[in-house]
Every structure is written in C-alpha cells, then in structure tokens.
Amino acid sequence: MKREREYHILPKRCYIAGLLLIVAAALLFVECDAFLYENTVARVTSVKNTFSHTQDGPNDEEEQYYDQLIQAKVLNGDRKGEHIILENMYSRSGVNDERYYVGEQIFVSLRQQESSGTINGKKRDFFLACLCGLFLVMLLILNGRKGGIIAVSVCLNVLIFLYALSWYGNGGDLIQMTYLLVIIFNVITLVFAGGMHRKTLVAIMASLATTGICYGIYEIVLHTSERLPYEMMDYVVNPSDLSELFLTGVLMGSLGAVMDVSISIAAGVAEILYRKPDISVKGLINSIREMGYDIMGTMINVLFFTYISSAIPILVIKIKNGYTLYHLINFQLVFELIRFLMGAIGIVLAIPVAGFFSVVLLRIWNRKGEKTS
Amino acid sequence: MIWKLGGILFFLMVLIGGNRGLDSFFALVRTLLALLVNVYLISWGAPPILTTLIISIFIVVTVIYFQNGVNAKMHAAVIAVVLVILFIMATSGPLLWAAGISGYNEIEQYEEISMYLSSDLQVSMSAVMLSAVLLGLLGAIMDTAVAVTTAVNEVYENKKELDTRQLFISGLAVGRDILGTTVNTLFFAGVGESIMLAVLFMKNEDEFAYILNSKALFKELAGLLTGGMGCLLIIPISSIICAALLTVSQDEGNQPDKLLQKCYVYFKKVLKNVKYVLK
C-alpha cells in the first residue's frame, strides 16, 4: 500500500500541459520557419494532375505517369508572396520521383523575370519535428524521470557522435575514432542507465571485453572468407576506407546490444547478492543462465527486425528487376545480415562474460565490504 | 561469411541457451523466411501494407505462442502488440506518408545501381516503406510485451490478492527497467546503420538545412523513432491488458455457455477494469 502512494502512473497535470504546450509551440515555429532558409521555400496552393503516359516495366507491368501542374506561393526571400507555377511528373510507384499535395512546403529555384521555377524537393523539417515531438512527449509522460534520463543520454551520445564525425572529416583516423567512440559511448550510456554504482563498473568492463571478443571474431572470419562486395553497400563514399567504415558500423551496432545485456546481468547479480549474500557460486551461475535465456531472445529479435526490415524496399525493387535470391542474399542482404549476426553473437557472448565479471568482482567487493564493517 | 557467422551464432546459442537457444535460433530462421515470403508477395503484386499486416500477425502468433505457450498472459501480449501497431500506424503512418518516403533518396538516386534498375514497377513504394517501418516496429515491441506480461503474471501468481491497479503498477515498474535497454539497442543499431550516410553527408559538405530536409535522414530517423515510440507505448498497454485479463478470470463466477456471450462479458469486464485503473 505504501508503495502505491509513492508511485505515480502519470506525472502531474500541469507538467503534462506545460510539456504539450512547449512541443506545440516548437512545432508551430518549425512550420513557419521558412524565413530561416536561404533557399526559396514555397507552399503548394493548388495541384492539377493529368494522366501523361504509360511505360512498360520489366515484367510487362504498365506504369502510369502523371503530370502535375502546381501553383505555389513563395514564403521567403525577395520575392515573398509571389504566386508561381511549377511542373512535376510522378509515377504510381514513386521509385524515382515525388508526388506533391496541396498545403505542402517545397524548395524551389525561381527563374528570373518569370513566375515559375523548378522543384528541388519537399521541406521535411516539420514532419521530422513532429516525429521527434511525439517520441519526446511519450517518453516524458509515460516514463517520467527515467524517460528524461534516457533522453539526456541519447542526446549526449548524438552530440558525441557528431563531434567524432567532424573530427574524422578533418583527417582523423577512423579506427582510432572507433576505439574512442566505443569506450566513450560505453561509459556514458551505462553510467546513465545504471547510475554511479559498482554494477555499472562491472557492466562497463564486461561490455568492453565482449565487444573486444566480437571484434576478434569478426576479423578472423573476415580474413578466412571471400572478400565482401563492399562496393554494393548503400552510400558508398570513398573506396579506400569502405571496410573500416563498415567495421565501425558493425561494432557500434553490437555495442548497443552488448551494453544492455551486460547492465541487465550485472544489475540482476547485484540484486541477488544484496538479497542473499551467502548464495553459492553455482546458484549464481544458474540464475545468470535463467536471466540470459530471457534477455537473449528479446534482444536478438529487436536487432533482427531493425536491420532486416530496412532492406525491404530495395529488395522489392531488385526482385521486380529480376534479381535472383542468390544475388539478393550475397550482395544486398549480406551487410544487414552481418550487422545482425555480429550483434546477436555479441548478445549471446555478453551473457557469460558479464556473468563472469559480476560474479568475480561483485563477490570480492561484497566480502571486502563485510570485513571493513 | 554469413554462413560462418551464422554457424558461430548457432553454436553459441546452443552452448549458452541449450534447448531454448536452439528454439530461438529456429524461430529466427522461421521469421527470416516469413520476411522473404513477404517481400516476394509484395513483388508479385500483393498490396504491401495488407500483406505485411497478415505476415506480422503470423510472426506475432508463432513467436509469442510457440515460444511461450497459449495462456492468458500471452493473449494479453498479442492483444497489446496488435493495439500498439494499429495506434502507431494511425498516428505516425499519415505523417510518414505525407513526408514522402517513397523510393530512392537523394543519394541513391545518383548511384550507379539505381540508373540501370527499372523504376516502372507498379508497386507503391510509399506503402512498401511503411511496411518496412511496421516490421521494424514489430521487433521492438513483441518481446517487450512478452517480458512485461510474464512479469505481471509472475507477480499475480505470487500474490493473488493484488487488484488490477496494483498489478498494472508492477508491470510498469518492470517495463521501465526494460525500456532503457531497448531504446539503447535501437539507438546504437541506428548509429551503426547510418554511419555511412553520415560520412557521406560530411564528405559532400552538405548544408545543415539540406540534410535536415533530406529524404535520407528522414527515412533513417522514421524507423528509429517509430520503433522507440512502440517501445514506450507497449509497456503501459501490455501491463494494463494483462492485469485486466488476469483479474477478470479471477472473479469469474458463473460462466456463460456460449463462446460469443462469454467473450462479450469478458470484454465488458476488461473495459471496466481498464476504466477503474485510469479513473
């Protein structure tokens, strides 16, 4: 009964109202932020779609193309308020083109002395802000203070990531950056998740060790297998450092999962030792196994769906173009699958590694604590 | 290379997880096959979102029921997952659609591969992208739902005198512990995936305004944020449903014979319980 009084399902009403007000104001600002842009922004006021032609696809489909005659009003710059006329063509599939609707904001390049121009794309900042706002509202309302802590830790990590990228862009070494990032992310995330506590230290050590082992496995398998078709990756940048970039991505992905398994195991062991200080090592190992089963399935599924689902659109395009399953798995899905497999291996490995670290370290610390007291 | 890594994963899962590890490994293989079937069905002209919904239900049912058995807590998990998916599709679905997420982004458009792939496909790429987001969401919420309902059930088994509200609160407490870790996993998976894109933006020295409004960034973040929202929503929803379902069967006196009638009474009681909790 006492616990219930302490536990608030939802935060106070004024807090919720204030939060919603701030988010709504921010969204309104983003919707009207055209004046901040140097490029010309216009709002679509009317659209007329007319059927243009059909084109044959690779499997005898008939793809319909439509012309759009768009009227728009310029929202910023010297020619603010001017009405312009734009043209656009879209297809039903929309693989390579865009359809515009009334009310949307778009980027245009205006022609001189003419009330027309060309479309450069949609203005998406409002939609992005909406998604972030929705997420933030849910995080803070449904999870109160804990949600706030998560938000701060994620923001901090994003800032560090951006800083590291700019450092790399100015000629920093990618592999060095990866090592540093792994350590910094690790410490920050776990301190936020576990607090300043011994179990946090155990989790930090365990996840660093697990990530190290993962890295070793990756390198060994990489050097004993045929070369990966790096040039088939998305967003190919610079042929010289493709393999390193991919490695960085793989390590980051595994790190996230490994950290979470480590902190869960360390927290669990700390809890057990607190409640039953005289538990035998065997009993502890059994509990760790039990915890391990529960975490393993959950985390592996999360990674699986996150990675594989993002490849679905390009898979559909390629299947339509007659690529075989063999090609899809070996040249398209291969990177997603490797990221997933390395993450999953990290999760499974983290269970015994974190278990080992927490049993050894937490027990030693507990004994020391008994002696001094 | 994938076969070797797959072999290592199989070996480790069996070594550490024993029989249950074996089960989860085959569940993964099954899910992968289901996803491939999904992709092929869409390519053959099936409506993308509907097909994905059906395949998702298949995945939810096989993963949740096969691995955990058919019982009240798993019913609660399945209902919660379905509700969250519908809710997210209703709230962020239109948002994603309006933002234009179809097809190639700015960078892929100028890559070699997109030049010689035909784009006349008769498949709405917006719908395909939405399906992909939906599946990503599924992974994030399915297992959290199971974890929460299992915990609520555990509490209930140990302390049968707890009422719906108290059970709900214990579900929330467990869920909030899981939440941080799931959000982190999603976040770092996103970082790992988008590192190439980030480097590319940097090397091209794109302006901030351009990046902020680009389709590429939006697509990356859309998957991440909807997954995160799913994690947040599934915790209260699954614990409230589980708490309500468990306490309903507790005070069930005389059961109506007919199944439909039973379901109706059941539903009314669940609603009453939910209302009681929210007050």
Side-chain angles (χ1 to χ4, degrees), chain A residues 219-265:
Chain A
E219 285 292 330
I220 291 171
V221 175
L222 189 71
H223 287 295
T224 54
S225 311
E226 71 277 21
R227 193 183 156 279
L228 284 173
Y230 289 115
E231 58 285 347
M232 301 295 290
M233 267 195 290
D234 288 343
Y235 316 130
V236 171
V237 197
N238 184 344
S240 63
D241 55 2
L242 282 178
S243 59
E244 281 89 357
L245 266 177
F246 182 61
L247 170 72
T248 307
V250 167
L251 284 184
M252 291 295 149
S254 333
L255 178 72
V258 166
M259 282 190 309
D260 297 335
V261 176
S262 306
I263 189 74
S264 304
I265 298 264

Side-chain angles (χ1 to χ4, degrees), chain B residues 135-167:
Chain B
L135 283 171
L137 172 72
L138 192 67
I141 61 178
M142 212 162 43
D143 297 286
T144 310
V146 172
V148 169
T149 53
T150 309
V152 171
N153 189 54
E154 200 69 23
V155 174
Y156 176 71
E157 291 292 324
N158 284 319
K159 264 188 159 183
K160 296 237 176 194
E161 68 274 13
L162 289 182
D163 70 357
T164 319
R165 189 184 155 83
Q166 287 160 326
L167 277 179

Side-chain angles (χ1 to χ4, degrees), chain A residues 62 88 123 129 145 147 174 198 214-215 259 275:
Chain A
E62 286 202 332
N88 179 46
K123 184 164 169 286
R145 246 188 55 211
L174 186 65
R198 280 174 180 166
C214 278
Y215 183 30
M259 282 190 309
R275 299 206 184 264

